[in-house]
Amino acid sequence: MIGRLNHVAIAVADLEKATSTYRDTLGAEVSEPQAEPDHGVTVVFVNLQNTKIELLEPLGENSPIAKFLEKNPSGGIHHVCYEVDDIIAARDQMKAMGARVLGDGEPKIGAHGKPVLFLHPKDFCGTLTELEQA
Ligand code: CO
């Protein structure tokens, strides 16, 4: 059911340093930082030929990645995002298979302006998993 890998999100404590690592050390094309106050993060997009990396730095008091960075002070992979054609159909199938959808279970508009859902890491190999309707 899942399609392309849309992005891998990496939580970082220092976005400037992480951006420099991807731009200068790895030689990747990176975007300007983009504040996403509704999501509690500032994002830099690393554009690769076949997918994206999203570098996430906490923004504001109640950032959803703050706890993750407390546990992983040097940063780490926060979630992976797969594309689906129909997010409601995908959600219903996941739930029918016993997977837990986070929040109220309704898709929200994600950082790319498209509907997204998050799935419980314990149901997906210990990895927070995002679905985005492509
Ligand atoms: Co994401």
Side-chain angles (χ1 to χ4, degrees), residues 29-31 34 36 43-47 52-54 111-112:
E29 181 201 321
V30 302
S31 76
Q34 191 174 313
E36 301 278 354
V43 188
V44 165
F45 297 96
V46 180
N47 294 305
K52 291 187 291 285
I53 304 295
E54 293 185 7
H112 314 124

Side-chain angles (χ1 to χ4, degrees), residues 46-117:
V46 180
N47 294 305
L48 305 178
Q49 284 182 20
N50 59 348
T51 191
K52 291 187 291 285
I53 304 295
E54 293 185 7
L55 304 172
L56 308 178
E57 182 185 64
L59 175 65
E61 291 294 301
N62 297 309
S63 174
I65 63 170
K67 273 202 187 110
F68 180 89
L69 280 168
E70 269 172 39
K71 287 187 209 146
N72 304 277
S74 53
I77 293 178
H78 183 262
H79 64 268
V80 295
C81 176
Y82 302 116
E83 295 179 359
V84 294
D85 289 332
D86 179 338
I87 200 158
I88 299 296
R91 176 198 65 189
D92 292 347
Q93 182 172 338
M94 298 291 162
K95 283 168 82 170
M97 297 299 287
R100 286 165 284 183
V101 178
L102 298 187
D104 62 7
E106 294 305 317
K108 298 227 173 6
I109 297 304
H112 314 124
K114 294 178 174 169
V116 302
L117 280 173

